[in-house]
Amino acid sequence: MTISSLPGPKRDEVQAHRGASAVAPENTVAAFRAAAEQGAQWVELDVALSADGQLVVIHDGSVDRTSSGTGSLGALTREQIGALDAGTWFDPRFAGECIPSLAETIVALGELGLNANVEIKQHAHHQSLDQLVRAVQADIAKRSSSTRIMISSFDAAALKAMHALEPELEMAMLWGQVPEDWEQQLAAIPATTIHMHYKAVSIGLLEQMRERGIKVRAWTCNDPVQLVSFWDAGLTGVITDNPKVFLE
Ligand code: G3P
Ligand code: MG
């Protein structure tokens, strides 16, 4: 049996994790472009505030792992972060790629015809939740009319604050494991979706969530065989470093 004959997600339910981060440096425009080239319609990207209160697209709390620079986001301005090389660490072919701001990324996604799952990261240097969610709101307001946005976070408070500002957007709670009080947590946001580590997805979980009308996507899975039994049981989507393996 070939991969393409296995059950799989709908084409618009394959989200490229940090862009197509298997083939291009994560959370860069190159990775988002690669996702579009692979046929993905959505990218997942991580956002956090710089020292001067601008949103940048980066996973870690420092620039050390994914750029030519060093230092925590709380010690670097947007301009300083944007001047770093965020491609060479991955492959010299990507030299000169930068850590984009969320505002720049929103423009690029419009040009690429991509939708975005914006994952809000909270770091110690953030002054307040209000500052963080208002910055997200201001940047996503600049999206093209064809760009769809959803919000995800490991932080329920961030989702609750974001929902209060943008009640029409899909809110997805990120979990590695389902907490005992999951239903109360989702209702308090309120969130309509959970994004679960793919190893914590089970038929039982999908049935339980389906009964309550809660959507489930699995992260970060790069092997379609791992999820094959879950699509018919109601799994909605997948977040993957390598969208093409779910789109072939
Ligand atoms: O959206 C799923 C995934 O992004 C969560 O983990 O650490 O890669 O942001 P992380
Ligand atoms: Mg993420």
Side-chain angles (χ1 to χ4, degrees):
M1 188 181 269
T2 63
I3 292 292
S4 57
S5 64
L6 297 173
K10 293 183 187 153
R11 295 195 74 77
D12 68 348
E13 279 295 349
V14 178
Q15 299 192 357
H17 180 240
R18 311 180 194 175
S21 56
V23 300
E26 65 182 56
N27 284 323
T28 65
V29 172
F32 305 142
R33 188 178 303 114
E37 285 167 3
Q38 290 191 8
Q41 297 177 20
W42 284 82
V43 292
E44 183 266 1
L45 52 91
D46 306 294
V47 298
L49 291 168
S50 61
D52 55 340
Q54 304 293 306
L55 280 166
V56 287
V57 180
I58 187 168
H59 177 272
D60 300 355
S62 88
V63 299
D64 299 17
R65 180 178 62 84
T66 58
S67 85
S68 55
T70 56
S72 94
L73 301 181
L76 296 166
T77 64
R78 155 76 200 114
E79 194 175 344
Q80 289 170 321
I81 293 167
L84 301 171
D85 179 333
T88 302
W89 71 274
F90 185 84
D91 189 307
R93 286 188 297 121
F94 294 101
E97 203 60 39
C98 70
I99 297 169
S101 66
L102 179 58
E104 289 166 346
T105 301
I106 291 290
V107 172
L109 297 182
E111 289 166 3
L112 291 165
L114 287 166
N115 306 302
N117 167 4
V118 176
E119 185 192 337
I120 301 177
K121 297 285 191 195
Q122 277 238 55
H123 297 290
H125 69 276
H126 292 171
Q127 288 164 15
S128 71
L129 193 51
D130 191 58
Q131 177 202 27
L132 178 60
V133 295
R134 286 190 185 279
V136 174
Q137 182 186 37
D139 284 348
I140 64 176
K142 296 167 193 150
R143 67 188 179 274
S144 119
S145 58
S146 61
T147 304
R148 285 183 286 160
I149 298 281
M150 60 166 296
I151 306 290
S152 62
S153 188
F154 285 102
D155 187 331
L159 289 181
K160 187 174 168 62
M162 198 69 223
H163 174 79
L165 292 181
E166 295 284 342
E168 80 287 358
L169 293 186
E170 181 178 357
M171 297 289 146
M173 188 68 215
L174 271 161
W175 280 320
Q177 292 287 331
V178 182
E180 271 186 25
D181 63 344
W182 64 269
E183 206 159 3
Q184 293 93 314
Q185 284 200 41
L186 295 183
I189 293 168
T192 55
T193 306
I194 61 174
H195 287 179
M196 292 299 309
H197 190 275
Y198 76 97
K199 289 192 174 166
V201 174
S202 65
I203 302 283
L205 174 80
L206 293 169
E207 284 172 352
Q208 194 176 32
M209 293 300 160
R210 187 149 67 175
E211 277 171 21
R212 314 297 206 283
I214 301 292
K215 290 198 279 188
V216 182
R217 297 189 184 91
W219 56 273
T220 298
C221 184
N222 299 325
D223 178 5
V225 173
Q226 297 283 332
L227 301 183
V228 77
S229 57
F230 296 138
W231 301 110
D232 288 344
L235 184 64
T236 293
V238 62
I239 300 163
T240 175
D241 298 324
N242 207 16
K244 69 176 180 220
V245 302
F246 285 94
L247 291 164
E248 282 165 351

